[in-house]
Amino acid sequence: MGPSSQELQQAVCQKYGWSITYSHSDDGNWLVEIKTSLSKDSRVFSCQTLSGKKEGKQQVSAIALEGLKEDILGEESKPVKELLQIFPNPILIFDSNSSEIWVNFWKEPPHVVGIDIEGNQISPPVLIQVSTNAFTIIEVPSKNGGISQNLKKLLQNDTIVKVFCDNFSHRDKACLGLLSTTTHCDFRKPPIIDLEQIVAGIMGDSQVPRGLSKIISLCMPELNARIGKPKTKGDKVRGRFQRIGRF
């Protein structure tokens, strides 16, 4: 992968969460299709060359970079903000061991919950966060007993939509036992929804997971901001984010 195609794929499309697809025909016509927005049509750039695959990809990438200059400048002109700056209001946090919070949860069950996982390499995982629009329940599964009965009840309840922002391996869902027995998993409709799949269905696939920050930036253009990872002094990423590839 040469400098032009590498810059286009990694420094541009991957950075902003855009989708990119290359194609070419036997007569030497190279195309690259790039989708920069959930609401706008794809941009298509082409070139005619009898050079080899590497050279053809380089040439059409250079043309795309030139044609996307205004789009790139538009993205770079946006301030980079943290999620905490976008959603500053604190949310109440409860321990899953509190029976009272689950009583309140089931008294008026929410229509939708967001679920996030830490330590999804094992089952049950290290930590589970269940969020409504009013509060978050944090559960640390026991080594012997696994997840709580209330959490099992929630996961088995198809009337409550469970929203994930998982990677391509679906590890968050897998460690909770939510993967089907089939090899193809479609999580674009209730009761389990994956934001990565929803956005990929509209924007097109990406080489790496977009992550929650880029997805929010794409879904809420009215913010006029790019959401980035939290920083500390010296522009270094905070400790817990140093070892993960997305936020």
Side-chain angles (χ1 to χ4, degrees), residues 19 57 64 75 128 153-154 172 176 198 202 216 227 238 246:
S19 65
K57 200 171 185 179
E75 288 297 319
I128 304 162
K153 181 180 177 181
L154 169 60
D172 283 4
L176 294 175
I198 293 288
I202 302 172
I216 293 176
I227 302 175
R238 286 180 189 161
R246 66 189 187 90

Side-chain angles (χ1 to χ4, degrees), residues 115-123 125 127-128 155 163-167 169-179 194 246:
I115 298 180
D116 186 40
I117 303 294
E118 299 291 343
N120 60 14
Q121 298 87 351
I122 57 175
S123 183
L127 184 143
I128 304 162
L155 296 176
V163 178
F164 291 80
C165 188
D166 214 345
N167 57 30
S169 64
H170 303 292
R171 283 186 174 180
D172 283 4
K173 295 180 285 291
C175 70
L176 294 175
L178 292 176
L179 288 191
D194 192 316
R246 66 189 187 90

